[in-house]
Amino acid sequence: MNYLKLALVCLLLVLAVPSAFADKNYMASYAVKGVFEEVRDNIVFTINGRGMVINNVSHIGEMLERTGKDLGAGKQIFLKAEALEFCSATLSRDMMEADPHNIVFCPYIINVYVLPSAPKTVHISFRKPELVGSAQSKKSLKAVEELLNSVVQESIK
């Protein structure tokens, strides 16, 4: 009987403590065989083809490479890595009309990167907006997640 109580206490502790290995429900991640520039360009074409504009391209891989040398770090994290920032006027407006504090979910960002250990695999990822607030807010945030997912899906066909 004591073992049963101990097992129950252990189970409750595991459930109560967040794990560093929790599922990655905060993000969507895809991997495709290909060339970085081609995959990135397909994403840009898909975004532009839907009437949206890339606001900014963050050259994360180049920044880490450059600053790594200054910091004395020798590990190469990415062969190439960029973050593409954009918005949908319609979805962003709906999202912020539902709750002005949803501004934190704008702009949308799709990351494209290649790891040194797999130079022929291009990773595409984005943060899923947390579905918070009123029903209207949750619905608008879900629409943003669906847009991001559909852009990636269309780009990697």
Side-chain angles (χ1 to χ4, degrees), residues 26-28 30 109-110 125-128 145 148-149 152:
Y26 65 93
M27 67 180 282
Y30 302 86
I109 301 170
I110 295 179
S125 63
F126 61 85
R127 283 180 292 221
K128 294 180 180 179
E145 180 181 336
L148 291 165
N149 194 51
V152 173

Side-chain angles (χ1 to χ4, degrees), residues 52 86-93 106 108 147:
M52 296 175 286
F86 65 101
C87 265
S88 159
T90 305
L91 292 180
S92 291
R93 179 148 195 100
C106 195
Y108 321 137
L147 168 72

